[in-house]
Structures are given as C-alpha cells and as structure tokens.
Amino acid sequence: MKARSKKTPKPAVHIVQKELLQPYNPVTVNLIGAGGTGGQVLTALARMNHALIALGHAGLFVRVFDDDTVEPANLGRQLFTTAEVGLHKSVALINRINRFFGTNWKAETLRYDQQLLEDRNRASALITISCVDTVQARYDIEEVLKYLSKNHTGRNHVQYWMDFGNSRTSGQVILSTLEKIKQPASELYTPVECLPLVTVEFRELLYFSEQGDNTPSCSLAEALTKQDLFINSALANVGASLLWQLFREGILFNRGFFLNLKDFRTQPIKVASIKTP
C-alpha cells in the first residue's frame, strides 16, 4: 500500500496591520534609553523615517525618554561630544537629530515608569523600543505598557514592544505584542496574533544578565571592559533591520535574534504558533 504523505506544516508568521503600513499620520514611537544602544537606534530611526517618507509613507514621530546626563566616560562609546557633557542625553541626541534631519521629535528628561500614567498620551505609542540597562527597568516598562493596553484607546494605542539588551560581546533584540493583533486568513502561512513578552518568555535570561556589574564607569577605558566598542551599534543596526522589514514587507517570519559579536554569529528567533500566558 502506498504510504500517506505527511502534511508539511505551514510556516508561522506575524502579519502587520494596515495602520502601520499605510498610516494617515506618522507612526508614534517611544524610545526608552538614550545611552550606547539607544543613541544608535535613534539614528537608525531617523534614517528610516527619511526613507519611509521618500517611499510615500507618513513616517515616524519619536519621543526619547531618559533622565540621565552626559558624563565624560560616555564619550567615544556613546554618541556624545565634550560640548554636551552635563546635558540630558535625550536632549542632546534629539537636538542633533532634529537639526540634521529636519524632524520635530521630542526629548523627555524623565524615567519611563508609572508616574507617566498621569499623561497617557505621552506615555502611549504604537511602538515602544527599550534600550535599558536593568531588569527592573524592563519590568517597570512592562507594567506601564500593560496598563496602557487595557486602559488607553485611540490612535496611539500600544501594540508592539521591541527590547534591546546586551552584555559585553553579545546581545538580543526581541519583538513582543501587548495585545492580540488581528490576523487575516492565509492558505500559505499560519498567522500568529500574539508575540510573547520578553519579560515572560526570557525571564531567566533577564535574571542572569542582571548578575553583572552595573555600577557607572569612570572612564571610557573602564566602560570598554564591560561592553565592547561596537556591540551597541551592531545590535542597533540588525534590530533596526527587523523594524524596517515590519514596515516594508508587512510580514515577519522572525521576531528577533541573538547576536554574538565575538564569534560573528546571529541566531534568529522564529515566530511560533504557540499559546502565550
């Protein structure tokens, strides 16, 4: 007898809503953290905005949240000059981006935590990008985003959270959803409406990453013993490519990646059709 052929499972994908692909207004983005990775991500977002507008898209509107100021130890590894020492990082970066690209993006010199819930319009954005150093900061962001997802409606209702994290020579970028994103029917793919939160799916990874030394560095030389010179920019560029794919192709087969700069390896994180908590 002829054996029955097994059905090949359809690839799991996440399909982006039209609201992001063909918006009437610029897509709102909250970037949390203006340090080594955040500064590089902001530059990538500015380039992306310029390219999207040239392609007929409404572009992006970005707010940068960071209450930290520029210190001499930040120079060289982060995108600051000696003239900016003492300024808030978010202000220094946004001023430069606005002058260079002609944007009107905003700097917020405060932490992104529950105090922001007093101004939900400012706290809420379609896409939230976190480039923070501590696990607690991620849990604070998670609390705010979960609250906004349930209690804030309107054009800037929170949908996606992209988290950047790194150690000395490695890092990861993970895209999550704050709610179910309605997916169209497909004969070719298995559309996935929920992408797990980084704080849930990778709780152990976050815990172990917190065991390192998080004390501020007093010099660039000391800072380079904790983070390699190019880990932030490498992570930012590959992560920005994922976001660019979201806008340009509207379909994601991967929702993030692990990067090992020492071995020059990148491992994608596939979209998976699993039930999430």
Side-chain angles (χ1 to χ4, degrees):
M1 291 179 66
K2 193 174 182 181
R4 290 183 182 178
S5 60
K6 291 184 178 179
K7 270 192 174 181
T8 304
K10 295 188 292 185
V13 299
H14 178 76
I15 299 173
V16 183
Q17 288 184 325
K18 187 178 178 181
E19 182 182 6
L20 290 176
L21 303 180
Q22 298 175 345
Y24 294 107
N25 299 290
V27 174
T28 51
V29 179
N30 279 345
L31 174 61
I32 305 168
T37 303
Q40 299 282 350
V41 171
L42 180 63
T43 302
L45 289 173
R47 294 173 60 197
M48 194 181 305
N49 173 66
H50 187 82
L52 286 172
I53 292 173
L55 293 167
H57 190 276
L60 310 174
F61 174 76
V62 179
R63 284 192 179 91
V64 179
F65 292 83
D66 198 315
D67 64 342
D68 199 9
T69 55
V70 180
E71 299 177 0
N74 301 141
L75 307 183
R77 195 177 64 82
Q78 300 182 21
L79 299 178
F80 302 108
T81 70
T82 53
E84 293 167 331
V85 172
L87 295 177
H88 278 94
K89 291 181 178 181
S90 57
V91 172
L93 290 176
I94 282 292
N95 283 346
R96 193 184 315 150
I97 289 294
N98 285 343
R99 287 197 301 269
F100 192 94
F101 288 94
T103 50
N104 188 30
W105 293 356
K106 302 298 180 185
E108 304 288 353
T109 58
L110 68 167
R111 292 175 61 85
Y112 190 93
D113 54 26
Q114 288 190 333
Q115 293 183 1
L116 268 176
L117 293 178
E118 297 176 4
D119 188 351
R120 297 179 190 177
N121 290 324
R122 184 165 52 166
S124 188
L126 284 170
I127 300 172
T128 299
I129 302 175
S130 54
C131 305
V132 294
D133 294 331
T134 67
V135 175
Q136 185 56 51
R138 288 180 174 87
Y139 287 131
D140 291 341
I141 293 167
E142 177 192 21
E143 285 186 18
V144 174
L145 293 179
K146 280 184 173 180
Y147 180 88
L148 291 171
S149 177
K150 294 177 181 178
N151 298 283
H152 181 77
T153 58
R155 185 168 61 87
N156 296 331
H157 182 67
V158 296
Q159 291 187 9
Y160 293 97
W161 175 17
M162 177 179 277
D163 180 68
F164 288 73
N166 69 279
S167 58
R168 186 173 183 272
T169 59
S170 62
Q172 70 285 331
V173 174
I174 298 164
L175 182 68
S176 308
T177 56
L178 274 302
E179 61 181 6
K180 292 181 179 180
I181 307 296
K182 188 176 180 181
Q183 301 286 290
S186 174
E187 294 183 359
L188 297 176
Y189 306 112
T190 300
V192 177
E193 57 188 5
C194 287
L195 306 178
L197 293 177
V198 60
T199 46
V200 175
E201 186 180 18
F202 296 101
R203 188 177 298 273
E204 289 186 6
L205 174 67
L206 294 177
Y207 172 78
F208 286 113
S209 70
E210 184 79 324
Q211 306 308 307
D213 180 11
N214 289 319
T215 56
S217 303
C218 297
S219 67
L220 174 59
E222 184 180 349
L224 291 175
T225 65
K226 300 176 183 178
Q227 293 190 27
D228 188 72
L229 182 61
F230 293 107
I231 183 61
N232 302 115
S233 54
L235 202 63
N237 280 314
V238 184
S241 294
L242 176 62
L243 197 60
W244 176 250
Q245 187 178 86
L246 181 148
F247 281 113
R248 291 298 297 148
E249 298 181 15
I251 182 171
L252 298 177
F253 293 86
N254 303 298
R255 50 178 288 258
F257 60 89
F258 292 101
L259 171 69
N260 188 318
L261 199 58
K262 186 176 182 180
D263 297 331
F264 302 104
R265 288 186 292 108
T266 304
Q267 178 64 42
I269 302 172
K270 296 289 184 183
V271 172
S273 54
I274 57 175
K275 292 183 179 180
T276 57

